[in-house]
Amino acid sequence: MSRKNSLFQKLVNQLLEDIDKKYQVGDILPSDVALAELFGVSRTTVRKAIEYLEEQEVVLKSDSGKVLLSMPKKEHFFDVSKLSKPKEKIVEEYFLGLIQSGALKSGDKFSELELARQSESSTVVVREFLIRFSRFGLIEKNPRSQWQMKKFDENFIDQLHELRYLFEMNSLSHFMSLPDSSDYWGQLNELFIDHKNLMPRMHDDYESFPKLDERFHFLLQEARPNPFISEFYTVISFIYHYHYQWERNKERERNTVAVKEHIDIMACMLMKDYQGATIALAKHLDTAKNMLKNTALL
Amino acid sequence: MSRKNSLFQKLVNQLLEDIDKKYQVGDILPSDVALAELFGVSRTTVRKAIEYLEEQEVVLKSDSGKVLLSMPKKEHFFDVSKLSKPKEKIVEEYFLGLIQSGALKSGDKFSELELARQSESSTVVVREFLIRFSRFGLIEKNPRSQWQMKKFDENFIDQLHELRYLFEMNSLSHFMSLPDSSDYWGQLNELFIDHKNLMPRMHDDYESFPKLDERFHFLLQEARPNPFISEFYTVISFIYHYHYQWERNKERERNTVAVKEHIDIMACMLMKDYQGATIALAKHLDTAKNMLKNTALL
DNA sequence: GTAGGGTTTTTAATATATAAAAAACAACAT
DNA sequence: ATGTTGTTTTTTATATATTAAAAACCCTAC
């Protein structure tokens, strides 16, 4: 099989919707190039779609341009709902599922072919996904042999933590040197208040913490974005999510501690107490590391 | 075409050599498994090789095992010299060549198919290489469109430098906290002496500096290895090498400065002057950054 | 019951084929 | 000269096929 013409089908639908919204019978549609630009596809695809609309007698090409013959009807739309997602996505979901469900554990080997069969795609797609995913350092492979889940041991966690520590401290230092006039201070303050508000409700509402967590660590980075660092964060959060899913029961406890620690850090930051913030952040990261160790290492 | 049987051919040669060295006519060769182990291949491959040796009447299988019939002769060996390297290697060399030669410049687009044709391999191999290479952040690609060389601008260099700074400072700090008894201090001292020796010869022998450079930065890291960080170094050195090739003329000047800076850093380190080392290292990294900017940005 | 060899099944490396989509080219008309 | 459309070529996404190599399975003899 080759690729599916999903782009084409989606475009037709978008086009029909757009027509329905903006034009009336007799109007002239924009040029190919304009449409291609508008929908972010190539002109080739636009032309295919228009051609289809001609067949459906919605559009007629005349000397003056593409004339709208009749308004779109339901039957002109494609049923795009069960168009499969891009294969890459499917494989990704399937594979991450395997990890998350614990079917693939630290040290396990697995085969491309098997994955391809189970995710109903081809070995090429699988392999390309795995190569891409391997940058996260969770899987690896030697020539002529199978892929293998990296051993997730204490050493690995320490190395991960070392980087995280470096990066977050770096972000903190840059944040602290922002001028008072910077908008980020305002955002930090808001976040601080949100934390304060959540705290007393923590016992029942502990599940809304992760959002705050993300906002916090993201805000720190955002002030001085660096794509190398951001990418690393994807790994971090993936790993944490992966490992914490097991121990849902301890989640409330974990989050409660974390909220407090966040508050400590932000309090220092807002008071421009760089040293205090450093200490608080170090403590927070350390707690995180130890919790991860307790959870992930049996 | 499918893959070449180069592993098999290489194994036969290794086997013949091994036989020539260790055995005499009438001896019994080790078991399949032992041989597979010894040469790091699967038993399947060993058996194929032995089978071949039987055809060549070098080995005879009898009840007691694989008996050596006659000593290997020249004609039993395969001419392994022009077995093509793994395709991946070929593509890599070709592609890096394009970059190094300046045929691909910052911002350029290029196609997989074209690369495949020119490097005489298939699109699959090319694409897999590119995906792997893309982790270095020098190329990128959007779905359904071509690969593109990332824009190599001031911003990119700054971000690179930011990480480098973090990592090297981190390494330094760990190095400085090594106990006096650690072997690394000895190595550092040696390296220091080598630098001192090179210095007066710099004018003529400036080309031998890169080795020292590598040793220096590697030594710093080695004391506390972290695969995430090591990988990043591959990028760094690639980028530097790539950009410096143009300006060979200024190389002597650059290296002379760098030698001195290295010496400053190491002198401080050996005197356990952490702060001094920090300052010297910061200066060194800064020089490197600026030189890179001067060279790489027109 | 385990070490060795023989046999069969799977898998990885690599090539090639095909449809969809993009890009390049060409021809006009204004 | 520039913007529009029609046509052709190239490229990507994806599947499948083929062979080398690995892994799994089975048998036999000590």
mmCIF file of all heavy atoms in Angstrom, chain D residues 12-24:
data_model
loop_
_atom_site.group_PDB
_atom_site.id
_atom_site.type_symbol
_atom_site.label_atom_id
_atom_site.label_comp_id
_atom_site.label_asym_id
_atom_site.label_seq_id
_atom_site.Cartn_x
_atom_site.Cartn_y
_atom_site.Cartn_z
ATOM 1 P P DT D 12 12.149 14.277 -0.542
ATOM 2 O OP1 DT D 12 12.745 15.263 0.357
ATOM 3 O OP2 DT D 12 12.918 13.114 -1.025
ATOM 4 O "O5'" DT D 12 10.819 13.721 0.112
ATOM 5 C "C5'" DT D 12 9.911 14.647 0.678
ATOM 6 C "C4'" DT D 12 8.619 13.944 0.961
ATOM 7 O "O4'" DT D 12 8.255 13.158 -0.187
ATOM 8 C "C3'" DT D 12 8.670 12.966 2.137
ATOM 9 O "O3'" DT D 12 7.600 13.304 3.001
ATOM 10 C "C2'" DT D 12 8.504 11.595 1.503
ATOM 11 C "C1'" DT D 12 7.738 11.930 0.240
ATOM 12 N N1 DT D 12 7.840 11.009 -0.924
ATOM 13 C C2 DT D 12 6.697 10.447 -1.408
ATOM 14 O O2 DT D 12 5.594 10.656 -0.923
ATOM 15 N N3 DT D 12 6.870 9.632 -2.497
ATOM 16 C C4 DT D 12 8.046 9.337 -3.130
ATOM 17 O O4 DT D 12 8.056 8.595 -4.106
ATOM 18 C C5 DT D 12 9.223 9.959 -2.577
ATOM 19 C C7 DT D 12 10.539 9.709 -3.200
ATOM 20 C C6 DT D 12 9.065 10.751 -1.518
ATOM 21 P P DA D 13 7.493 12.592 4.416
ATOM 22 O OP1 DA D 13 6.835 13.529 5.341
ATOM 23 O OP2 DA D 13 8.801 12.012 4.754
ATOM 24 O "O5'" DA D 13 6.494 11.405 4.113
ATOM 25 C "C5'" DA D 13 5.116 11.687 4.034
ATOM 26 C "C4'" DA D 13 4.371 10.393 3.798
ATOM 27 O "O4'" DA D 13 4.876 9.774 2.603
ATOM 28 C "C3'" DA D 13 4.516 9.351 4.909
ATOM 29 O "O3'" DA D 13 3.197 8.908 5.209
ATOM 30 C "C2'" DA D 13 5.379 8.249 4.285
ATOM 31 C "C1'" DA D 13 5.067 8.389 2.818
ATOM 32 N N9 DA D 13 6.121 8.018 1.875
ATOM 33 C C8 DA D 13 7.440 8.353 1.945
ATOM 34 N N7 DA D 13 8.148 7.908 0.926
ATOM 35 C C5 DA D 13 7.221 7.244 0.138
ATOM 36 C C6 DA D 13 7.339 6.551 -1.078
ATOM 37 N N6 DA D 13 8.476 6.407 -1.748
ATOM 38 N N1 DA D 13 6.213 6.004 -1.594
ATOM 39 C C2 DA D 13 5.058 6.150 -0.935
ATOM 40 N N3 DA D 13 4.833 6.783 0.225
ATOM 41 C C4 DA D 13 5.965 7.305 0.716
ATOM 42 P P DT D 14 2.979 7.945 6.434
ATOM 43 O OP1 DT D 14 1.586 8.096 6.839
ATOM 44 O OP2 DT D 14 4.076 8.103 7.405
ATOM 45 O "O5'" DT D 14 3.126 6.521 5.748
ATOM 46 C "C5'" DT D 14 2.137 6.126 4.809
ATOM 47 C "C4'" DT D 14 2.597 4.879 4.125
ATOM 48 O "O4'" DT D 14 3.750 5.138 3.317
ATOM 49 C "C3'" DT D 14 3.036 3.752 5.046
ATOM 50 O "O3'" DT D 14 1.926 2.888 5.214
ATOM 51 C "C2'" DT D 14 4.199 3.100 4.300
ATOM 52 C "C1'" DT D 14 4.267 3.874 3.002
ATOM 53 N N1 DT D 14 5.626 4.051 2.457
ATOM 54 C C2 DT D 14 5.892 3.528 1.224
ATOM 55 O O2 DT D 14 5.046 2.948 0.557
ATOM 56 N N3 DT D 14 7.174 3.715 0.783
ATOM 57 C C4 DT D 14 8.195 4.337 1.461
ATOM 58 O O4 DT D 14 9.312 4.428 0.957
ATOM 59 C C5 DT D 14 7.859 4.872 2.750
ATOM 60 C C7 DT D 14 8.884 5.588 3.564
ATOM 61 C C6 DT D 14 6.601 4.703 3.180
ATOM 62 P P DA D 15 2.159 1.379 5.780
ATOM 63 O OP1 DA D 15 0.839 0.925 6.212
ATOM 64 O OP2 DA D 15 3.308 1.349 6.706
ATOM 65 O "O5'" DA D 15 2.558 0.563 4.468
ATOM 66 C "C5'" DA D 15 1.683 0.629 3.347
ATOM 67 C "C4'" DA D 15 2.038 -0.463 2.363
ATOM 68 O "O4'" DA D 15 3.252 -0.088 1.685
ATOM 69 C "C3'" DA D 15 2.297 -1.827 2.998
ATOM 70 O "O3'" DA D 15 1.586 -2.809 2.252
ATOM 71 C "C2'" DA D 15 3.799 -2.016 2.910
ATOM 72 C "C1'" DA D 15 4.209 -1.115 1.757
ATOM 73 N N9 DA D 15 5.498 -0.456 1.981
ATOM 74 C C8 DA D 15 5.868 0.285 3.073
ATOM 75 N N7 DA D 15 7.084 0.760 2.995
ATOM 76 C C5 DA D 15 7.548 0.292 1.774
ATOM 77 C C6 DA D 15 8.772 0.438 1.110
ATOM 78 N N6 DA D 15 9.798 1.138 1.602
ATOM 79 N N1 DA D 15 8.903 -0.155 -0.085
ATOM 80 C C2 DA D 15 7.874 -0.849 -0.587
ATOM 81 N N3 DA D 15 6.676 -1.062 -0.054
ATOM 82 C C4 DA D 15 6.582 -0.457 1.140
ATOM 83 P P DT D 16 1.669 -4.358 2.688
ATOM 84 O OP1 DT D 16 0.401 -4.945 2.270
ATOM 85 O OP2 DT D 16 2.127 -4.456 4.087
ATOM 86 O "O5'" DT D 16 2.836 -4.953 1.766
ATOM 87 C "C5'" DT D 16 2.776 -4.725 0.373
ATOM 88 C "C4'" DT D 16 4.056 -5.241 -0.261
ATOM 89 O "O4'" DT D 16 5.157 -4.378 0.074
ATOM 90 C "C3'" DT D 16 4.461 -6.636 0.220
ATOM 91 O "O3'" DT D 16 4.872 -7.343 -0.928
ATOM 92 C "C2'" DT D 16 5.615 -6.354 1.158
ATOM 93 C "C1'" DT D 16 6.252 -5.167 0.441
ATOM 94 N N1 DT D 16 7.163 -4.338 1.249
ATOM 95 C C2 DT D 16 8.388 -4.018 0.720
ATOM 96 O O2 DT D 16 8.764 -4.390 -0.382
ATOM 97 N N3 DT D 16 9.183 -3.224 1.529
ATOM 98 C C4 DT D 16 8.875 -2.747 2.786
ATOM 99 O O4 DT D 16 9.663 -2.055 3.409
ATOM 100 C C5 DT D 16 7.573 -3.121 3.282
ATOM 101 C C7 DT D 16 7.136 -2.655 4.627
ATOM 102 C C6 DT D 16 6.799 -3.881 2.499
ATOM 103 P P DA D 17 5.038 -8.907 -0.955
ATOM 104 O OP1 DA D 17 4.112 -9.398 -1.989
ATOM 105 O OP2 DA D 17 4.986 -9.418 0.436
ATOM 106 O "O5'" DA D 17 6.524 -9.069 -1.502
ATOM 107 C "C5'" DA D 17 6.915 -8.351 -2.669
ATOM 108 C "C4'" DA D 17 8.420 -8.488 -2.820
ATOM 109 O "O4'" DA D 17 9.070 -7.584 -1.895
ATOM 110 C "C3'" DA D 17 8.944 -9.891 -2.490
ATOM 111 O "O3'" DA D 17 9.949 -10.199 -3.427
ATOM 112 C "C2'" DA D 17 9.511 -9.730 -1.075
ATOM 113 C "C1'" DA D 17 10.003 -8.297 -1.103
ATOM 114 N N9 DA D 17 10.047 -7.615 0.189
ATOM 115 C C8 DA D 17 9.062 -7.531 1.131
ATOM 116 N N7 DA D 17 9.401 -6.822 2.195
ATOM 117 C C5 DA D 17 10.689 -6.419 1.926
ATOM 118 C C6 DA D 17 11.609 -5.646 2.652
ATOM 119 N N6 DA D 17 11.349 -5.114 3.847
ATOM 120 N N1 DA D 17 12.818 -5.420 2.101
ATOM 121 C C2 DA D 17 13.072 -5.945 0.896
ATOM 122 N N3 DA D 17 12.296 -6.689 0.117
ATOM 123 C C4 DA D 17 11.104 -6.894 0.690
ATOM 124 P P DT D 18 10.474 -11.698 -3.576
ATOM 125 O OP1 DT D 18 10.470 -12.005 -5.006
ATOM 126 O OP2 DT D 18 9.756 -12.550 -2.588
ATOM 127 O "O5'" DT D 18 11.995 -11.593 -3.095
ATOM 128 C "C5'" DT D 18 12.832 -10.587 -3.658
ATOM 129 C "C4'" DT D 18 14.118 -10.550 -2.862
ATOM 130 O "O4'" DT D 18 13.918 -9.793 -1.644
ATOM 131 C "C3'" DT D 18 14.609 -11.926 -2.423
ATOM 132 O "O3'" DT D 18 15.975 -12.026 -2.727
ATOM 133 C "C2'" DT D 18 14.351 -11.956 -0.929
ATOM 134 C "C1'" DT D 18 14.522 -10.484 -0.581
ATOM 135 N N1 DT D 18 13.869 -10.024 0.684
ATOM 136 C C2 DT D 18 14.561 -9.141 1.471
ATOM 137 O O2 DT D 18 15.663 -8.732 1.189
ATOM 138 N N3 DT D 18 13.896 -8.753 2.601
ATOM 139 C C4 DT D 18 12.645 -9.162 3.020
ATOM 140 O O4 DT D 18 12.165 -8.731 4.065
ATOM 141 C C5 DT D 18 11.979 -10.086 2.153
ATOM 142 C C7 DT D 18 10.626 -10.593 2.509
ATOM 143 C C6 DT D 18 12.612 -10.475 1.036
ATOM 144 P P DT D 19 16.659 -13.428 -2.884
ATOM 145 O OP1 DT D 19 17.217 -13.469 -4.232
ATOM 146 O OP2 DT D 19 15.727 -14.471 -2.373
ATOM 147 O "O5'" DT D 19 17.874 -13.312 -1.842
ATOM 148 C "C5'" DT D 19 18.767 -12.196 -1.934
ATOM 149 C "C4'" DT D 19 19.376 -11.974 -0.586
ATOM 150 O "O4'" DT D 19 18.362 -11.533 0.340
ATOM 151 C "C3'" DT D 19 19.998 -13.231 0.029
ATOM 152 O "O3'" DT D 19 21.281 -12.870 0.469
ATOM 153 C "C2'" DT D 19 19.075 -13.557 1.193
ATOM 154 C "C1'" DT D 19 18.605 -12.156 1.577
ATOM 155 N N1 DT D 19 17.369 -12.048 2.379
ATOM 156 C C2 DT D 19 17.342 -11.125 3.406
ATOM 157 O O2 DT D 19 18.292 -10.424 3.686
ATOM 158 N N3 DT D 19 16.165 -11.069 4.101
ATOM 159 C C4 DT D 19 15.034 -11.820 3.881
ATOM 160 O O4 DT D 19 14.044 -11.663 4.583
ATOM 161 C C5 DT D 19 15.120 -12.751 2.801
ATOM 162 C C7 DT D 19 13.947 -13.615 2.491
ATOM 163 C C6 DT D 19 16.263 -12.824 2.104
ATOM 164 P P DA D 20 22.351 -13.905 0.968
ATOM 165 O OP1 DA D 20 23.557 -13.765 0.130
ATOM 166 O OP2 DA D 20 21.708 -15.208 1.169
ATOM 167 O "O5'" DA D 20 22.679 -13.273 2.382
ATOM 168 C "C5'" DA D 20 23.179 -11.945 2.412
ATOM 169 C "C4'" DA D 20 23.308 -11.511 3.836
ATOM 170 O "O4'" DA D 20 22.003 -11.476 4.454
ATOM 171 C "C3'" DA D 20 24.167 -12.415 4.699
ATOM 172 O "O3'" DA D 20 24.901 -11.559 5.541
ATOM 173 C "C2'" DA D 20 23.157 -13.282 5.438
ATOM 174 C "C1'" DA D 20 21.945 -12.361 5.556
ATOM 175 N N9 DA D 20 20.635 -13.003 5.464
ATOM 176 C C8 DA D 20 20.210 -13.932 4.576
ATOM 177 N N7 DA D 20 18.953 -14.301 4.729
ATOM 178 C C5 DA D 20 18.532 -13.543 5.801
ATOM 179 C C6 DA D 20 17.288 -13.451 6.475
ATOM 180 N N6 DA D 20 16.214 -14.174 6.145
ATOM 181 N N1 DA D 20 17.192 -12.599 7.505
ATOM 182 C C2 DA D 20 18.266 -11.879 7.831
ATOM 183 N N3 DA D 20 19.483 -11.861 7.284
ATOM 184 C C4 DA D 20 19.538 -12.736 6.262
ATOM 185 P P DA D 21 25.932 -12.164 6.559
ATOM 186 O OP1 DA D 21 26.920 -11.112 6.852
ATOM 187 O OP2 DA D 21 26.341 -13.500 6.110
ATOM 188 O "O5'" DA D 21 24.989 -12.318 7.824
ATOM 189 C "C5'" DA D 21 24.463 -11.131 8.425
ATOM 190 C "C4'" DA D 21 23.571 -11.502 9.568
ATOM 191 O "O4'" DA D 21 22.424 -12.219 9.090
ATOM 192 C "C3'" DA D 21 24.217 -12.405 10.620
ATOM 193 O "O3'" DA D 21 24.264 -11.640 11.811
ATOM 194 C "C2'" DA D 21 23.293 -13.620 10.708
ATOM 195 C "C1'" DA D 21 22.010 -13.107 10.088
ATOM 196 N N9 DA D 21 21.161 -14.087 9.413
ATOM 197 C C8 DA D 21 21.495 -14.928 8.402
ATOM 198 N N7 DA D 21 20.500 -15.676 7.969
ATOM 199 C C5 DA D 21 19.437 -15.289 8.766
ATOM 200 C C6 DA D 21 18.080 -15.699 8.814
ATOM 201 N N6 DA D 21 17.578 -16.639 8.007
ATOM 202 N N1 DA D 21 17.285 -15.119 9.720
ATOM 203 C C2 DA D 21 17.798 -14.180 10.519
ATOM 204 N N3 DA D 21 19.043 -13.705 10.569
ATOM 205 C C4 DA D 21 19.823 -14.306 9.659
ATOM 206 P P DA D 22 24.707 -12.274 13.161
ATOM 207 O OP1 DA D 22 25.237 -11.176 13.978
ATOM 208 O OP2 DA D 22 25.495 -13.492 12.914
ATOM 209 O "O5'" DA D 22 23.291 -12.658 13.755
ATOM 210 C "C5'" DA D 22 22.384 -11.604 14.018
ATOM 211 C "C4'" DA D 22 21.150 -12.142 14.696
ATOM 212 O "O4'" DA D 22 20.481 -13.067 13.830
ATOM 213 C "C3'" DA D 22 21.419 -12.893 15.991
ATOM 214 O "O3'" DA D 22 20.582 -12.289 16.947
ATOM 215 C "C2'" DA D 22 21.053 -14.335 15.685
ATOM 216 C "C1'" DA D 22 20.054 -14.178 14.559
ATOM 217 N N9 DA D 22 20.001 -15.248 13.576
ATOM 218 C C8 DA D 22 21.031 -15.724 12.819
ATOM 219 N N7 DA D 22 20.691 -16.665 11.977
ATOM 220 C C5 DA D 22 19.331 -16.829 12.198
ATOM 221 C C6 DA D 22 18.368 -17.678 11.616
ATOM 222 N N6 DA D 22 18.666 -18.557 10.647
ATOM 223 N N1 DA D 22 17.114 -17.591 12.064
ATOM 224 C C2 DA D 22 16.831 -16.698 13.017
ATOM 225 N N3 DA D 22 17.641 -15.838 13.643
ATOM 226 C C4 DA D 22 18.887 -15.959 13.177
ATOM 227 P P DA D 23 20.586 -12.788 18.445
ATOM 228 O OP1 DA D 23 20.146 -11.643 19.253
ATOM 229 O OP2 DA D 23 21.852 -13.490 18.726
ATOM 230 O "O5'" DA D 23 19.408 -13.863 18.432
ATOM 231 C "C5'" DA D 23 18.145 -13.439 17.960
ATOM 232 C "C4'" DA D 23 17.164 -14.584 18.059
ATOM 233 O "O4'" DA D 23 17.409 -15.533 16.996
ATOM 234 C "C3'" DA D 23 17.243 -15.369 19.359
ATOM 235 O "O3'" DA D 23 15.931 -15.380 19.872
ATOM 236 C "C2'" DA D 23 17.759 -16.747 18.944
ATOM 237 C "C1'" DA D 23 17.284 -16.836 17.505
ATOM 238 N N9 DA D 23 18.093 -17.646 16.609
ATOM 239 C C8 DA D 23 19.446 -17.641 16.460
ATOM 240 N N7 DA D 23 19.888 -18.467 15.539
ATOM 241 C C5 DA D 23 18.733 -19.061 15.053
ATOM 242 C C6 DA D 23 18.517 -20.039 14.058
ATOM 243 N N6 DA D 23 19.488 -20.592 13.349
ATOM 244 N N1 DA D 23 17.234 -20.408 13.820
ATOM 245 C C2 DA D 23 16.258 -19.834 14.528
ATOM 246 N N3 DA D 23 16.338 -18.904 15.496
ATOM 247 C C4 DA D 23 17.621 -18.568 15.697
ATOM 248 P P DA D 24 15.548 -16.268 21.121
ATOM 249 O OP1 DA D 24 14.442 -15.533 21.772
ATOM 250 O OP2 DA D 24 16.756 -16.643 21.864
ATOM 251 O "O5'" DA D 24 14.917 -17.574 20.454
ATOM 252 C "C5'" DA D 24 13.811 -17.405 19.586
ATOM 253 C "C4'" DA D 24 13.333 -18.767 19.131
ATOM 254 O "O4'" DA D 24 14.320 -19.359 18.258
ATOM 255 C "C3'" DA D 24 13.126 -19.759 20.273
ATOM 256 O "O3'" DA D 24 11.854 -20.362 20.060
ATOM 257 C "C2'" DA D 24 14.288 -20.739 20.146
ATOM 258 C "C1'" DA D 24 14.558 -20.687 18.647
ATOM 259 N N9 DA D 24 15.924 -20.994 18.244
ATOM 260 C C8 DA D 24 17.070 -20.494 18.767
ATOM 261 N N7 DA D 24 18.160 -20.937 18.182
ATOM 262 C C5 DA D 24 17.687 -21.794 17.196
ATOM 263 C C6 DA D 24 18.325 -22.582 16.223
ATOM 264 N N6 DA D 24 19.660 -22.639 16.085
ATOM 265 N N1 DA D 24 17.550 -23.315 15.402
ATOM 266 C C2 DA D 24 16.210 -23.254 15.546
ATOM 267 N N3 DA D 24 15.496 -22.544 16.421
ATOM 268 C C4 DA D 24 16.304 -21.834 17.219
#
